[in-house]
Amino acid sequence: MTVTLSALDTCESSFTPLVVIELAQDVKEETKEWLKNRIVAKKKDGGAQLLFRPLLNKCEKETIGNQNLYLVGASNIRLLLGAEAVGLVKECTDAAMRAFTYGTRHSFKGFHDNNDDFLTMAECQFIIKHELENLRARDEKMIPGYPQAKLYPGKSLMRRLLTSGIVTQVFPLHDNEALKKLEDSWYTRFALKYQPIDSIRGYFGETIALYFGFLEYFTFALIPMAVIGLPYYLFVWEDYDKYVIFASFNLIWSTVILEVWKRGCANMTYRWGTLVMKRQFEEPRPGFHGVLGINSVTGREEPLYSSYKRQLRIYLVSLPFVCLCLYFSLYVMMIYFDMEDWVLSLHKDNESVWTSLLLYVPSIVYAIVIEIMNRLYRYAAEFLTSWENHRLESAYQNHLVLKVLVFNFLNCFASLFYIAFVLKDMKLLRQSLATLLITSQILNQAVESLLPYWLQRKHCAAVKKKVQALKVDVDTTLYEQVLLEKEMGTYLGTFDDYLELFLQFGYVSLFSCVYPLAAAFAVLNNFTEVNSDALKMCRVFKRPFAEPSASIGVWQLAFETMSVISVVTNCALIGMSPQVNAVFPESKTDLVLIVVAVEHALLALKFILAFAIPDKPRHIQMKLARLEFESLEALKQQQMKLVAENLKEESQEDRREAT
């Protein structure tokens, strides 16, 4: 029997809560009732057809106090139909990955009619988020009770409620039992072992699992660089000609690890189903605004904004602001060099243990200033990119990443390039690189994980004390959990985590022939980074909604660009070494030409390697080709069936006319 959405029950009083909606304290009752009706209403009536109830019932509200917290869930059948709607891909019994459909559910591996574990909790929460975000205004002109909150047909209700401040937050709940199991296998027992990436994916979704997979892969890929760099540091510190081999290895290494990662990523995402998951037409991002009109592609009514106005904002405001910030960054860098000169002169005049320690102070202060500037600029970049009013979330992210990467690259590496190619002071370059790398790693660990964890522990203790003081007869387990989680910080995505790895990759690859120990420090940092990031995800921040992802996205291009820049930098540093210069004592032109020729040869080798190593393994390519063939065959069969039905109808019509 075919089950339709209209047959589902949305009035279950008891269900597994998956998502929490918090309303503002002063929200009117008519607004609450309208929102509830829209969430539980049938799909054909414009609702989401989900299960919905307040966190506290009437009796509990009188006992504990009023809380505008509501729980959202869904029946198993509703989640399965939702999985079909969002295009989730699952493994079939024949080991092929196919888009899930409710009609063919029994052909999928692990599915049983009484099995509630076919979909992971992360997938269930993603489905509910999708349904809530796709609640659209129909005939309403405004949100009931709030005449100023205007609506128009097709507007996302949940986004309008959030921007109007009526809904303060929507977040998925943790599963405490599953979270405890994940923590036990992930980070609570410190050991050198692989991360449970599939378990992370099952709990947090593909985007976060890919970050931790890349972090682990990058850490292990750094080990050969660290092992080779250690003897170079100990035995051939000043022999730059010997670094030619080390630098060449670095260049090949940086290319190979990125290409091999793409293959490993394809393997993982195919197994998870996101590699073959078809992308739907992107909806306008929540902050997008404009004059109401008709989208020429979809035919839907939505805000429209002139691309010409957006380009004016980008080139007349955003670009000059970014250039001004870059100039300010360079100005701060010159202040740092003035401090270095002052400390050096002080040390020469009064050489002592204190002045020797003072030599490191400018670099440490500059490293702290760099971190502060990076964070302040990040807020400005987010405001500017939002003000540019990009329609799509992907366009917003691309412009934000570009702004942040340009500034961070200049802010973090400009001083090193200045020391290397203007001052030509290799001793100062080593000292500055080591100080910047180590200081930034310590600051990141403290600011991103340790400080938020300490604050969260204090909050947890306060909430538990408050709940214990209630002395009520009702079960407060769920109440306490929701209260704890609603006050947790919101995880803003993997942007900052990837940015940290990107800068670390730059420190390791750009100046490898001057400071071979950079890779060793990066490995030590990343082994602790895995555990601190895991702690952050599990205990510091709210559980983020899962987001399907087939790769690390634009960050792959960012890392590849950095590896190209490292080729030029390392070749230039080798060409500047005294040993290489001694080979061409008279003609510097020959030296420059040879260095440029070597650089071009290495770049050619790099691109040949990138071309020679396929992005997807052969067996994945075959499976994808097979899926495409099956889709074409299914389309042909459908067309032939339609033709046959048309011919049959025409034949019957001819017979009737003949009689």
Side-chain angles (χ1 to χ4, degrees), residues 68 78 118 299 360 364 391 400 411 443 496 530 552 595 624:
N68 283 338
R78 177 70 184 87
F118 177 69
Y360 291 93
I364 294 173
R391 179 185 178 275
L400 177 62
N411 203 27
L443 287 174
D496 288 324
V530 168
I552 62 174
V595 169
L624 292 175

Side-chain angles (χ1 to χ4, degrees), residues 10 37 68 80 153 205 228 232 237 258 280 344 384-385 462 499 515 521 555 580 600 604 621 652:
T10 56
N37 291 336
N68 283 338
L80 292 174
I228 295 173
Y232 269 92
W237 184 247
L258 293 175
Q280 297 177 332
L344 282 170
L384 268 180
T385 311
L499 180 61
Y515 191 62
F521 281 116
W555 291 103
V580 174
H600 280 59
Q621 293 179 21
Q652 290 174 347

Side-chain angles (χ1 to χ4, degrees), residues 124-141:
C124 294
Q125 289 168 334
F126 169 69
I127 291 166
I128 288 180
K129 173 177 176 275
H130 175 269
E131 296 298 339
L132 290 174
E133 286 184 343
N134 279 278
L135 273 175
R136 304 283 176 181
R138 304 185 89 182
D139 301 326
E140 304 98 329
K141 301 297 182 184

Side-chain angles (χ1 to χ4, degrees), residues 271-490:
R271 188 173 71 249
W272 296 340
T274 53
L275 187 64
V276 296
M277 190 174 178
K278 293 181 180 179
R279 291 189 63 184
Q280 297 177 332
F281 183 79
E282 277 194 78
E283 298 287 339
R285 53 183 293 272
F288 178 67
H289 58 85
V291 180
L292 189 63
I294 302 297
N295 186 301
S296 57
V297 177
T298 63
R300 297 173 185 166
E301 195 172 22
E302 64 178 45
L304 301 177
Y305 188 78
S306 170
S307 61
Y308 175 72
K309 291 181 181 179
R310 185 181 301 113
Q311 296 301 320
L312 285 178
R313 290 187 175 192
I314 292 172
Y315 290 111
L316 296 183
V317 179
S318 296
L319 184 59
F321 177 80
V322 171
C323 293
L324 183 64
C325 290
L326 295 177
Y327 173 79
F328 180 74
S329 174
L330 293 174
Y331 182 77
V332 172
M333 181 189 76
M334 298 313 297
I335 295 175
Y336 155 66
F337 286 119
D338 290 340
M339 290 174 60
E340 282 283 0
D341 291 339
W342 178 76
V343 170
L344 282 170
S345 62
L346 183 66
H347 178 66
K348 287 179 181 178
D349 296 339
N350 303 291
E351 191 170 339
S352 65
V353 176
W354 291 108
T355 55
S356 298
L357 293 174
L358 196 62
L359 290 173
Y360 291 93
V361 171
S363 296
I364 294 173
V365 171
Y366 184 52
I368 295 172
V369 170
I370 283 175
E371 289 298 319
I372 294 172
M373 289 172 62
N374 284 344
R375 293 181 186 279
L376 290 176
Y377 176 82
R378 169 72 185 276
Y379 293 122
E382 286 178 346
F383 173 80
L384 268 180
T385 311
S386 180
W387 178 73
E388 289 166 7
N389 199 25
H390 297 280
R391 179 185 178 275
L392 301 180
E393 184 66 28
S394 57
Y396 171 85
Q397 289 296 333
N398 289 339
H399 281 79
L400 177 62
V401 168
L402 181 61
K403 288 186 184 72
V404 173
L405 283 187
V406 168
F407 181 81
N408 277 260
F409 182 84
L410 187 74
N411 203 27
C412 294
F413 299 114
S415 62
L416 301 178
F417 280 104
Y418 186 82
I419 295 169
F421 301 114
V422 178
L423 301 180
K424 299 181 181 179
D425 187 341
M426 297 303 146
K427 185 177 180 181
L428 179 59
L429 179 60
R430 286 195 296 270
Q431 175 189 314
S432 299
L433 177 58
T435 307
L436 287 173
L437 177 63
I438 296 169
T439 306
S440 65
Q441 289 177 347
I442 293 172
L443 287 174
N444 282 324
Q445 294 279 5
V447 173
E448 290 184 5
S449 299
L450 299 180
L451 179 61
Y453 179 67
W454 178 72
L455 293 173
Q456 183 59 30
R457 285 289 296 271
K458 288 186 67 177
H459 169 69
C460 288
V463 169
K464 288 182 179 179
K465 188 176 179 181
K466 177 183 174 182
V467 172
Q468 289 169 0
L470 291 174
K471 295 180 180 179
V472 293
D473 296 329
V474 299
D475 183 10
T476 58
T477 305
L478 181 60
Y479 175 74
E480 180 181 335
Q481 180 188 352
V482 174
L483 250 60
L484 283 172
E485 292 185 23
K486 84 180 186 73
E487 297 299 331
M488 286 180 169
T490 301

